[in-house]
Amino acid sequence: MSVRDATPPHVGTLTAGPRNAITDVAGVSVGHATLADGSVQTGVTVVRPHAGDLYRDRVPAAASVINGFGKSIGLVQVEELGVIETPIALTNTFSVAAVAEAQIRQTIAANPQCGRRLPTVNPLVFECNDGYLNDIQAMAVGDLHYRGACAAAGPDVAEGAVGAGRGMASFGVKGGIGTASRRAEVANGRVFTVGALVLANFGRAAQLILAGRAIGPVLAERLAATREDAAGGEGEAQEKGSIILLIATDAPLDTRQLRRLSLRSAAGLARTGSVFGHGSGDIALAFSTAYTLPQEAARPMPAIAMLNDALIDPLFQAVADSTEQAIIHALWRAETVTGRDGHRRQALLEVMPDLPSLLSERTP
């Protein structure tokens, strides 16, 4: 069996959903468009909270800025109104504007009165800087790639060096897209699903903690031996990478509770060795699929009983565990990529083929 076929370690005591992915939250789908051609190593990843028209049937959401070195679009209105009205898009830093324009055009095509009789749409695009592997100045991502990612959205989620994760790096090795889920039981036997999807482009090699094991020093030593840069996402001595953390749940939560949920992703992030470095844009967004909020005032608002705050702790644990697991999956599934000017990021399991056995050893 190839080392790539080894099963990643399971984080925590909660059970995962059947796919161990954000799409275990019913209705959520994920799609990628990947550009992998010489110096262009980038792409788009789209998360759709439901299969309908998000502009007309918005979902409740809230965000937490863990460290604000980022250039996302749409967070101000999410903070104010607490809703998502487009698919959530991930891409590289210089492609944010192009993807936001694609979201606006997509919304207008489906809703010709947007910006006329109906309100303007709030595009929602998150980014990380993939400029070490990707020729980010080429601004290769466009409308067709965003639309392609939307068209490809489904329940099965590819991980690693795909979509927006194609050119991303973490802990001196290849990073990218990772996802995971956890099932959380609250009072009276009610069970809810929490799913996480990350765009991992952060961390220095020596800092890496994987499933509770501080493997960073060994990783840094091996990278140094192969003359691979042991820095973070952008390949410099100071960490200047980022991570985007998306959290989905089917629990009936309001925007205040969703903000609290999004903040708990920082607990899972910290477990991997992140210190939320000065140049790292660490941004989390959480949304619920339990109900939708109509765009048009003539339509009735939902009448739904929210989860009591006293019952929310199991969801907090599910967020922390699924976030940590998603980061592990991003590292575990990624392949080696060579891009701009011959820059290269090796797969973690290529640098450390003995990692599965190291993790299976009993901690002294």
Side-chain angles (χ1 to χ4, degrees):
M1 182 180 71
S2 167
V3 66
R4 290 190 173 279
D5 297 324
T7 302
H10 181 90
V11 169
T13 58
L14 299 178
T15 60
R19 296 184 181 87
N20 204 359
I22 194 171
T23 53
D24 287 324
V25 178
V28 177
S29 58
V30 176
H32 304 294
T34 305
L35 287 72
D37 184 11
S39 63
V40 174
Q41 302 289 332
T42 191
V44 184
T45 294
V46 166
V47 177
R48 296 177 59 90
H50 63 66
D53 187 333
L54 278 157
Y55 175 73
R56 291 186 172 274
D57 295 294
R58 304 168 298 176
V59 296
S64 293
V65 178
I66 302 164
N67 195 69
F69 207 106
K71 292 92 176 168
S72 301
I73 282 181
L75 287 180
V76 171
Q77 187 165 309
V78 171
E79 174 72 17
E80 183 68 21
L81 301 186
V83 294
I84 294 172
E85 51 189 37
T86 68
I88 305 160
L90 310 175
T91 191
N92 73 68
T93 307
F94 283 1
S95 295
V96 169
V99 174
E101 180 178 347
Q103 290 184 326
I104 294 169
R105 292 187 181 280
Q106 181 186 56
T107 303
I108 292 171
N111 300 275
Q113 290 301 313
C114 176
R116 293 181 176 171
R117 182 180 64 82
L118 295 173
T120 56
V121 67
N122 182 50
L124 188 56
V125 187
F126 295 91
E127 55 76 34
C128 291
N129 185 347
D130 61 8
Y132 182 72
L133 289 174
N134 173 50
D135 180 6
I136 198 169
Q137 293 183 355
M139 292 190 276
V141 174
D143 180 273
L144 289 177
H145 304 112
Y146 169 74
R147 290 178 180 271
C150 288
D156 298 322
V157 187
E159 296 175 286
V162 295
R166 179 64 189 177
M168 305 300 172
S170 285
F171 299 103
V173 293
K174 191 67 188 69
I177 296 291
T179 189
S181 69
R182 292 294 184 268
R183 303 270 285 163
E185 182 176 349
V186 299
N188 303 319
R190 298 174 71 190
V191 177
F192 297 108
T193 300
V194 171
L197 184 140
V198 303
L199 178 61
N201 189 53
F202 73 102
R204 292 176 53 76
Q207 296 171 328
L208 178 58
I209 300 170
L210 207 154
R213 297 292 294 272
I215 66 168
V218 176
L219 175 60
E221 182 177 316
R222 294 191 186 181
L223 288 172
T226 60
R227 298 187 179 181
E228 290 280 338
D229 192 333
E234 291 185 21
E236 298 181 6
Q238 181 184 18
E239 183 185 343
K240 294 184 179 179
S242 300
I243 184 169
I244 304 301
L245 309 116
L246 304 180
I247 306 297
T249 185
D250 54 8
L253 304 178
D254 62 22
T255 56
R256 177 187 57 81
Q257 293 171 313
L258 287 167
R259 185 184 183 282
R260 299 182 72 202
L261 212 66
S262 70
L263 187 59
R264 269 57 185 189
S265 65
L269 175 59
R271 290 178 190 171
T272 67
S274 171
V275 295
F276 320 148
H278 161 69
S280 188
D282 306 334
I283 301 174
L285 177 103
F287 64 89
S288 171
T289 62
Y291 59 100
T292 61
L293 297 157
Q295 178 74 252
E296 298 192 63
R299 295 172 57 198
M301 292 289 283
I304 186 166
M306 301 299 170
L307 189 70
N308 191 292
D309 282 343
L311 305 177
I312 205 168
D313 275 351
L315 298 182
F316 288 168
Q317 181 181 347
V319 170
D321 288 358
S322 59
T323 299
E324 181 184 5
Q325 188 76 66
I327 294 169
I328 291 172
H329 286 174
L331 293 166
W332 203 275
R333 308 294 190 202
E335 63 187 50
T336 296
V337 170
T338 301
R340 177 180 67 85
D341 298 331
H343 291 174
R344 181 170 177 260
R345 281 286 180 249
Q346 289 180 270
L348 174 63
L349 293 181
E350 181 178 301
V351 180
M352 299 187 68
D354 55 342
L355 182 58
S357 61
L358 287 175
L359 293 175
S360 66
E361 294 174 0
R362 188 181 301 275
T363 304

